[in-house]
Amino acid sequence: MQTILVCDDDKEIVEAIEIYLQQEGYHILKAYDGEEALEILKENEVHLLIMDVMMPVMDGLEATKAIRMLEREDAKKIPIIAMTANAFEEDRKHALDAGMDGFIMKPFRVDEMMKVIGEVME
């Protein structure tokens, strides 16, 4: 079973994503800021991260950069999907420059989320 870490400061969003992804057969870990996501990743095997871009404590861009610098071989390859309400091309560029691999708009649509997950996990 593949594990997905969902990180967003909005607990309702995390719970909604958890419900959908569990129905698809994924094991879900949850974090509510980038620092918490980083700590969870250090202690668990994770196959994919869905990371909100704007969060307190440590935002998704900072967390992604920190993850990519970890001394684990998989840290540089784990797919990380940005999740944000900002749809501007500049926001996509910042996410990709930080080391993210895909982009989901908020409010998210399940079909779009599953499509992006499929693309980055190939």
Side-chain angles (χ1 to χ4, degrees):
M1 179 179 293
Q2 292 186 315
T3 299
I4 296 177
L5 173 56
V6 180
C7 183
D8 195 306
D9 59 320
D10 185 328
K11 291 183 181 186
E12 291 178 6
I13 290 174
V14 172
E15 290 172 10
I17 292 173
E18 177 183 30
I19 290 167
Y20 292 121
L21 294 179
Q22 282 179 334
Q23 291 173 352
E24 295 293 324
Y26 294 104
H27 175 252
I28 306 303
L29 298 174
K30 300 178 277 191
Y32 301 101
D33 65 59
E35 191 173 278
E36 186 178 2
L38 190 57
E39 291 307 311
I40 290 170
L41 184 64
K42 287 178 181 178
E43 299 175 13
N44 295 276
E45 181 180 357
V46 174
H47 301 96
L48 171 76
L49 281 85
I50 298 176
M51 179 89 68
D52 185 18
V53 172
M54 295 175 54
M55 294 180 289
V57 183
M58 179 185 282
D59 70 30
L61 299 177
E62 292 175 82
T64 297
K65 290 174 186 174
I67 289 166
R68 296 300 189 213
M69 291 174 35
L70 289 175
E71 294 295 323
R72 287 174 42 172
E73 188 174 318
D74 64 338
K76 299 187 184 10
K77 296 184 269 185
I78 297 169
I80 302 175
I81 298 173
M83 184 169 52
T84 184
N86 297 330
F88 301 107
E89 190 58 39
E90 183 177 328
D91 297 304
R92 286 181 185 265
K93 183 179 180 333
H94 289 309
L96 295 174
D97 287 348
M100 294 178 163
D101 304 292
F103 200 85
I104 298 172
M105 288 297 306
K106 282 186 188 178
F108 72 92
R109 291 186 7 227
V110 175
D111 61 331
E112 184 64 27
M113 179 177 63
M114 297 311 297
K115 178 180 178 236
V116 174
I117 289 172
E119 289 171 359
V120 300
M121 290 188 81
E122 289 180 341

